[in-house]
Amino acid sequence: MEPDAGENGTAVTEFILLGLVETPGLRPLVFVLFLFAYMVTVGGNLSILAAILVEPKLHTPMYFFLGNLSVLDIGCITVTIPSMLSRLLSHERTVPYGACLTQLFFFHQLAGVDCFLLTAMAYDRFLAICRPLTYSTRMSQVVQKLLVVVSWTCAFINALTHTVAISTLSFCGPNVINHFYCDLPQLFQLSCSSTQLNELLLFGLGVLMAGAPVILIVTSYIHVAAAVLRIRSAEGRKKAFSTCGSHLTVVGIFYGTGVFSYMRLGSVEASDKDKGIGILNTVISPMLNPLIYSLRNPDVQGALQRVLSGKRALA
C-alpha cells in the first residue's frame, strides 16, 4: 500500500536510510565488521542446529526450543544486515516504501516469536525442575509443537497489526531515517499525520507481547530458584543453575534492548543511541546466543566438536 499525499506535500514513495556512519572513509571498515558479524552469527547458529540434530542427548524439549531460537536468530539478522551491507557497497541509501514496511513486518514477526519462545523455554525449565514426575507428559512433542505454532501465530498477528497501522499514516515531508533499518519509532517521527493511536497500539501490544511473557518468565524462575535451593547436592544445584543461567542471560539481553528501543518514543535526540540499541538487538544478541548456550554446556560442546570433526555420536 502506498502512502497518501498530505495536505502540504507529495506522498513519500521511498525513504533514505542514513545507516550507521555518514563518513565515507569509515564505510569499508563498517562493511567488513558487519559482514564478519553476519557470517559468525549464521555459522554459530547453524552449528547449534547441526549439534542438536546429530546428538541424541540433545533431543529434548529444551534443545528443541533452542533450535527454533537459532533459526530466529538467523532470520532476525538476515532481515536487517544484508540490506545494509548492499547499501554500503552500492552507496545507494534509498529504500522503497513497500520494502521498508516489509522489513518492519518481518522484524516484528521474528522478534515476537522470540518473546514467546523464551517464555516457553522458561516454562520448560519450570516443569523439568519443579514437576519432574509429570514433565514428559506435560512437555510432550505435541505440546512443544503447539507452543511453537502459537508463538508464530501471535507474533504474526502483532506484526501484521503494526504494519497495517503504519500504512494508514501519511508521509509527505521529510523522508530521512537516521538508522540502518526501518522500524516503528523512526517512522513515527516522519509521519505528517497523528501517531497517537499507533503509539498507544505499540504500548498496548508491547505489554501483551513483552510484559506478559516477562511476568511468566519471572514467576517460573522464582519457583525454579526455590526448588534448586532445596537440592542437597552441590553438583545438582550447579547443573540446574547453569542451564537456567544461560537462558536468563539471553532473556536479559533481549528484553533489555527491547525496552530501550520502544519505551522512549518521541525522543529525536536519542536517534544515535537507537542505532547502538539496534546493533544490540539485531547483531550482538543473535551472535552471542550460540556462545552463551554452549559456553558452560558439555553436551553442546561435545556435539559441536563432533559436528566440526565430522564424527557421528554414539546412540
Side-chain angles (χ1 to χ4, degrees):
M1 182 187 291
E2 291 294 326
D4 295 327
E7 293 179 5
N8 301 316
T10 309
V12 169
T13 58
E14 62 184 17
F15 296 101
I16 298 171
L17 286 172
L18 293 183
L20 287 172
V21 291
E22 296 183 57
T23 309
L26 290 176
R27 285 174 190 165
L29 176 62
V30 171
F31 178 86
V32 171
L33 285 174
F34 279 82
L35 178 61
F36 176 74
Y38 181 71
M39 292 173 67
V40 168
T41 302
V42 173
N45 282 287
L46 284 176
S47 298
I48 291 288
L49 271 174
I52 291 169
L53 289 172
V54 304
E55 176 58 71
K57 285 184 182 178
L58 304 184
H59 294 172
T60 64
M62 183 175 75
Y63 293 106
F64 171 74
F65 293 128
L66 180 56
N68 279 273
L69 194 65
S70 292
V71 172
L72 288 175
D73 286 338
I74 293 170
C76 202
I77 196 170
T78 300
V79 165
T80 54
I81 299 305
S83 58
M84 185 194 81
L85 294 176
S86 69
R87 286 193 297 274
L88 284 170
L89 277 181
S90 64
H91 305 290
E92 179 62 57
R93 298 191 293 179
T94 58
V95 179
Y97 175 84
C100 191
L101 262 60
T102 300
Q103 184 181 56
L104 184 148
F105 170 81
F106 281 107
F107 180 76
H108 281 269
Q109 166 75 57
L110 295 166
V113 180
D114 229 329
C115 285
F116 291 115
L117 266 188
L118 290 172
T119 309
M121 292 172 80
Y123 178 61
D124 172 72
R125 291 298 82 207
F126 164 75
L127 290 179
I129 294 171
C130 301
R131 305 286 187 272
L133 297 179
T134 57
Y135 176 65
S136 57
T137 53
R138 290 194 183 190
M139 193 53 76
S140 64
Q141 287 193 359
V142 173
V143 173
Q144 295 167 43
K145 291 172 184 175
L146 184 63
L147 286 170
V148 171
V149 169
V150 170
S151 297
W152 277 93
T153 303
C154 292
F156 174 79
I157 294 169
N158 174 66
L160 186 64
T161 301
H162 284 308
T163 307
V164 171
I166 202 83
S167 70
T168 64
L169 298 179
S170 297
F171 296 94
C172 54
N175 67 337
V176 178
I177 298 174
N178 187 17
H179 214 305
F180 62 96
Y181 63 92
C182 295
D183 204 1
L184 294 170
Q186 291 75 33
L187 290 175
F188 289 168
Q189 291 173 7
L190 299 180
S191 175
C192 299
S193 49
S194 172
T195 61
Q196 186 175 3
L197 285 175
N198 297 74
E199 292 181 15
L200 284 172
L201 189 65
L202 179 58
F203 180 79
L205 287 176
V207 169
L208 290 175
M209 295 291 294
V214 164
I215 291 170
L216 291 172
I217 289 169
V218 170
T219 303
S220 295
Y221 275 108
I222 288 172
H223 288 285
V224 166
V228 169
L229 291 173
R230 288 197 296 268
I231 298 175
R232 294 181 180 180
S233 162
E235 187 63 31
R237 285 198 300 270
K238 183 181 176 183
K239 185 177 180 182
F241 274 128
S242 69
T243 57
C244 297
S246 301
H247 181 246
L248 282 172
T249 303
V250 172
V251 167
I253 295 172
F254 179 79
Y255 281 105
T257 54
V259 167
F260 277 105
S261 292
Y262 300 110
M263 295 302 153
R264 297 181 302 105
L265 294 173
S267 177
V268 178
E269 298 80 6
S271 56
D272 285 331
K273 292 180 182 178
D274 290 339
K275 291 182 186 181
I277 295 166
I279 292 171
L280 278 171
N281 256 331
T282 62
V283 181
I284 305 299
S285 181
M287 187 167 62
L288 286 180
N289 284 354
L291 183 64
I292 292 168
Y293 279 109
S294 62
L295 197 61
R296 297 174 63 187
N297 192 317
D299 290 335
V300 174
Q301 289 173 4
L304 284 172
Q305 288 172 4
R306 281 187 284 276
V307 168
L308 296 173
S309 63
K311 294 179 181 178
R312 296 178 68 91
L314 294 173

